[in-house]
Amino acid sequence: MRFYLQKIVFYVVALWAALTLNFFLPRWMPGNPVDILISKLSAKGPVTESTRHALELMLGTNSDEPVFIQYLNYLGSVFRGDLGVSVTYFPANVTDIIGQSLPWTIGLIGVATVISFIVGILLGQLAGWKRGSWLDNFIPVTTMFQAVPYFWLALVLLYFLGSRIQMFPLSGGYDVYTVQPGMSWAFISSVIYHGALPALTIVLSSIGGWMLGMRNMMVSTLSEDYIVTAEAKGLHPRRIMTAYAARNAVLPSLSGFAISLGFVVSGSIVTEMVFSYPGIGSALLTAVQSNDYALMQGIFLVITISVLGANLLVDLLYALIDPRTRVRA
């Protein structure tokens, strides 16, 4: 119980530090979101001082209040779920924009990350168990896809499978001309069809790392004494491979998977830009280009929470898989 309590306290402190940093970083950056918004509104007419003060209150940058009071107001707004108003999509709330973009990113990047991890771990397990086989010799080919520039691989697949063969669509998250968003099979199938090529790009570029890491850990684990003991007892080779070797070899990969799973929320800006996919990565790029500090703050906050949550979950699962981690040094 003490182990789990220490972990929870650590991540609560990390969350507080992330919230604090997320509050001060935009204020240290050059520029002012109020001035940017006023420049947009001034095209429709003159902006008075009272209007400017109202915009400062709305964006949480009231210059009349001390920074500490602004910080407390920011924490209160975050815990209420109020992340402010977006300058780029004014007067839309940041929460609404993130809520619209996040399901697209989780559906695409999340599914592709889980698929690449599961397939990579299983293939790496087999490659490490059968060293020198064709699967073991195939690993350098998979790592080649990870070594090439990500955008280059996306463009190559888009050119051959999307443009030349026309097996997949070139852009978009669904067919906006013939399908209406909703819980219908026509919309779901269109989303799967449009997300297949971006997902394939993510799987090809990441599966090699999971395979190589699992394969090397399997080779190292198979030389341990408890594996030799299990073989001497006459246990079935499949049981030795899965229950003894793979269970211990997969532990380092779980930590890497936690980080990857946490960053699923951040999306892949390159993927979403190449395929014109409507996700959180595209929203983040738009926010950076437009100096939309409220939207940037909101997206960074969601990314931070997802990474911390994923790492906390894996730390707790890690302790269940390997009880040695709960033992105090």
Side-chain angles (χ1 to χ4, degrees), residues 97-98 100-106 108 171-174 176 191 194 198 271-273 275-283:
I97 298 172
I98 295 176
Q100 294 172 3
S101 304
L102 200 56
W104 292 98
T105 296
I106 294 178
L108 172 64
S171 62
Y174 66 98
V176 296
V191 170
H194 281 73
T271 301
E272 295 180 2
M273 286 300 298
F275 294 98
S276 300
Y277 197 81
I280 203 73
S282 299

Side-chain angles (χ1 to χ4, degrees), residues 42-99:
S42 60
K44 301 179 181 180
V47 178
T48 62
E49 286 297 326
S50 59
T51 303
R52 179 183 180 88
H53 183 67
L55 293 176
E56 288 181 347
L57 293 176
M58 182 179 62
L59 297 177
T61 59
N62 187 7
S63 57
D64 296 334
E65 292 181 345
V67 177
F68 181 71
I69 300 300
Q70 296 181 33
Y71 174 68
L72 294 179
N73 293 334
Y74 168 74
L75 293 179
S77 299
V78 168
F79 286 109
R80 290 195 306 269
D82 182 12
L83 301 180
V85 179
S86 171
V87 174
T88 307
Y89 303 96
F90 183 83
N93 292 324
V94 172
T95 306
D96 297 334
I97 298 172
I98 295 176

Side-chain angles (χ1 to χ4, degrees), residues 1-326:
M1 180 61 67
R2 184 176 182 180
F3 170 83
Y4 296 109
L5 184 61
Q6 289 176 342
K7 286 292 182 182
I8 294 174
V9 171
F10 170 79
Y11 281 103
V12 169
V13 174
L15 177 60
W16 169 79
L19 287 173
T20 304
L21 191 62
N22 196 36
F23 170 79
F24 284 104
L25 274 180
R27 286 159 175 78
W28 292 336
M29 294 175 61
N32 190 329
V34 178
D35 294 334
I36 297 173
L37 186 55
I38 287 178
S39 65
K40 293 183 178 181
L41 296 177
S42 60
K44 301 179 181 180
V47 178
T48 62
E49 286 297 326
S50 59
T51 303
R52 179 183 180 88
H53 183 67
L55 293 176
E56 288 181 347
L57 293 176
M58 182 179 62
L59 297 177
T61 59
N62 187 7
S63 57
D64 296 334
E65 292 181 345
V67 177
F68 181 71
I69 300 300
Q70 296 181 33
Y71 174 68
L72 294 179
N73 293 334
Y74 168 74
L75 293 179
S77 299
V78 168
F79 286 109
R80 290 195 306 269
D82 182 12
L83 301 180
V85 179
S86 171
V87 174
T88 307
Y89 303 96
F90 183 83
N93 292 324
V94 172
T95 306
D96 297 334
I97 298 172
I98 295 176
Q100 294 172 3
S101 304
L102 200 56
W104 292 98
T105 296
I106 294 178
L108 172 64
I109 313 296
V111 172
T113 301
V114 172
I115 290 176
S116 61
F117 174 75
I118 294 176
V119 175
I121 290 299
L122 293 177
L123 294 180
Q125 171 185 321
L126 294 175
W129 180 257
K130 298 182 179 180
R131 284 171 289 178
S133 62
W134 68 269
L135 182 60
D136 191 17
N137 296 326
F138 185 71
I139 290 182
V141 179
T142 61
T143 54
M144 179 192 68
F145 289 107
Q146 190 175 18
V148 299
Y150 192 80
F151 68 90
W152 183 84
L153 177 61
L155 290 174
V156 168
L157 292 178
L158 188 63
Y159 174 73
F160 284 103
L161 299 182
S163 179
R164 296 299 297 271
I165 304 179
Q166 297 183 356
M167 184 182 301
F168 299 101
L170 296 176
S171 62
Y174 66 98
D175 191 350
V176 296
Y177 300 105
T178 61
V179 177
Q180 293 293 330
M183 297 304 296
S184 63
W185 172 245
F187 175 72
I188 295 175
S189 60
S190 180
V191 170
I192 295 175
Y193 179 53
H194 281 73
L197 190 56
L200 179 62
T201 306
I202 298 171
V203 171
L204 287 179
S205 63
S206 57
I207 193 174
W210 298 121
M211 287 183 62
L212 182 61
M214 186 62 180
R215 183 263 180 195
N216 292 339
M217 286 304 302
M218 280 290 293
V219 172
S220 177
T221 304
L222 289 174
S223 62
E224 297 290 340
D225 293 338
Y226 59 85
I227 300 295
V228 178
T229 303
E231 293 174 344
K233 289 182 177 180
L235 298 180
H236 196 278
R238 181 178 299 175
R239 183 181 179 186
I240 297 176
M241 179 182 66
T242 56
Y244 288 83
R247 180 180 178 180
N248 292 278
V250 77
L251 293 178
S253 297
L254 284 177
S255 300
F257 178 65
I259 299 176
S260 300
L261 202 60
F263 278 106
V264 162
V265 176
S266 67
S268 177
I269 297 178
V270 176
T271 301
E272 295 180 2
M273 286 300 298
V274 171
F275 294 98
S276 300
Y277 197 81
I280 203 73
S282 299
L284 178 58
L285 182 62
T286 302
V288 173
Q289 292 174 341
S290 305
N291 291 329
D292 192 343
Y293 302 137
L295 185 55
M296 280 190 286
Q297 271 186 310
I299 294 177
F300 289 152
L301 177 61
V302 172
I303 294 173
T304 301
I305 293 176
S306 64
V307 172
L308 291 176
N311 278 275
L312 174 60
L313 179 61
V314 171
D315 275 348
L316 298 180
L317 293 177
Y318 206 111
L320 294 177
I321 297 174
D322 188 1
R324 294 173 297 179
T325 57
R326 300 197 299 266

